[in-house]
Amino acid sequence: MKEYSNVTIFDHILIQHKVAILRDKNTSQKEFRELVEEITTLMVYEAFKDVPTKKVIVETPLEKCEQNMVKDDSITIVPILRAGLGMVNGVHALFPTAKVGHIGLYRDEETLEPHEYYCKLPEKVTESTVIVLDPMLATGGSAVAAINFLKKRGCKDIRLMHIIGVPEGVEAVAKAHPDVKIYVSTLDRQLNENGYILPGLGDAGDRLFGTK
């Protein structure tokens, strides 16, 4: 795959260890959900080293000192329904006060184009860093559409986070939105004829919510 300056593929053994268990068809729904959250937390830890901060004065048992803290309302979480919901708690583990918006998309059966059916965003979302979540990055159509919708609503600092991706999906988003930072924990081989990632992990939504 061509290298893009806005794309980060993680190569961390703790993430890869958890992805290996996540892939296993025998992994239970409970463990699958927990792993999605844990992997997301590890990725967020690496991806948000430049989170906006503010200086505060803290009084310790001995004296006062100046300390950096995460700036209020600096992060907004936007999962793409429904599988993206499984990653929200992983972000909240590090940013517990982050607001949460939601974007729902459906794919037209004839044109295969994604269409928005739901979008609810917090106030002042345009003043924050928006992190879009979806476990799988396949064709990239949903991710590109979600970013388009956010930009139309005035969002400027947008980041995209996926657990599993494929080269064609990553390239589609990187080309469409070169200003958006893209984070993927693992890059898989390809898509099959039905649009599923290989080797992948199956349908993330079904495995998260037990619907199959």
Side-chain angles (χ1 to χ4, degrees):
M1 186 188 80
K2 179 183 174 181
E3 289 189 6
Y4 293 88
S5 61
N6 60 325
V7 176
T8 299
I9 308 296
F10 289 102
D11 184 22
H12 196 294
I13 187 57
L14 291 180
I15 293 176
Q16 298 309 315
H17 174 85
K18 292 178 184 295
V19 168
I21 305 171
L22 194 70
R23 292 187 192 276
D24 193 328
K25 66 179 183 180
N26 296 313
T27 296
S28 69
Q29 179 190 346
K30 176 179 180 295
E31 189 174 13
F32 188 92
R33 185 173 61 249
E34 291 170 349
L35 285 163
V36 166
E37 294 177 6
E38 291 168 3
I39 293 167
T40 302
T41 299
L42 290 171
M43 293 177 67
V44 169
Y45 177 82
E46 289 292 326
F48 278 81
K49 293 177 180 178
D50 60 344
V51 63
T53 61
K54 64 179 180 179
K55 291 188 179 298
V56 298
I57 302 299
V58 178
E59 188 169 357
T60 78
L62 300 177
E63 64 180 26
K64 293 181 180 180
C65 66
E66 188 176 74
Q67 185 71 45
N68 283 328
M69 291 185 68
V70 176
K71 189 176 180 182
D72 297 335
D73 299 323
S74 59
I75 302 293
T76 299
I77 308 168
V78 180
I80 298 177
L81 302 177
R82 64 179 170 149
L85 293 171
M87 301 174 70
V88 172
N89 287 344
V91 183
H92 268 154
L94 295 182
F95 300 113
T97 62
K99 302 291 193 303
V100 182
H102 298 87
I103 289 181
L105 303 170
Y106 73 89
R107 190 171 298 278
D108 188 291
E109 293 184 359
E110 293 184 2
T111 66
L112 301 181
E113 291 296 317
H115 297 273
E116 175 189 327
Y117 69 84
Y118 182 78
C119 185
K120 180 71 172 179
L121 302 174
E123 293 183 6
K124 299 182 179 180
V125 65
T126 58
E127 302 172 19
S128 67
T129 297
V130 179
I131 178 168
V132 180
L133 304 174
D134 197 356
M136 312 297 281
L137 178 58
T139 65
S142 293
V144 169
I147 295 168
N148 285 339
F149 297 141
L150 289 169
K151 285 184 174 180
K152 286 179 181 178
R153 288 167 170 81
C155 298
K156 296 180 177 61
D157 186 1
I158 303 170
R159 305 186 187 189
L160 184 68
M161 186 164 288
H162 301 276
I163 294 176
I164 304 289
V166 288
E168 48 263 63
V170 172
E171 290 185 353
V173 183
K175 289 180 180 178
H177 296 288
D179 58 321
V180 172
K181 293 181 180 179
I182 302 165
Y183 299 95
V184 180
S185 85
T186 303
L187 195 65
D188 276 5
R189 188 176 70 250
Q190 66 186 73
L191 297 175
N192 68 11
E193 64 275 9
N194 297 317
Y196 279 92
I197 295 175
L198 298 176
L201 47 75
D203 188 296
D206 285 339
R207 295 190 69 182
L208 279 165
F209 302 113
T211 49
K212 190 173 182 180

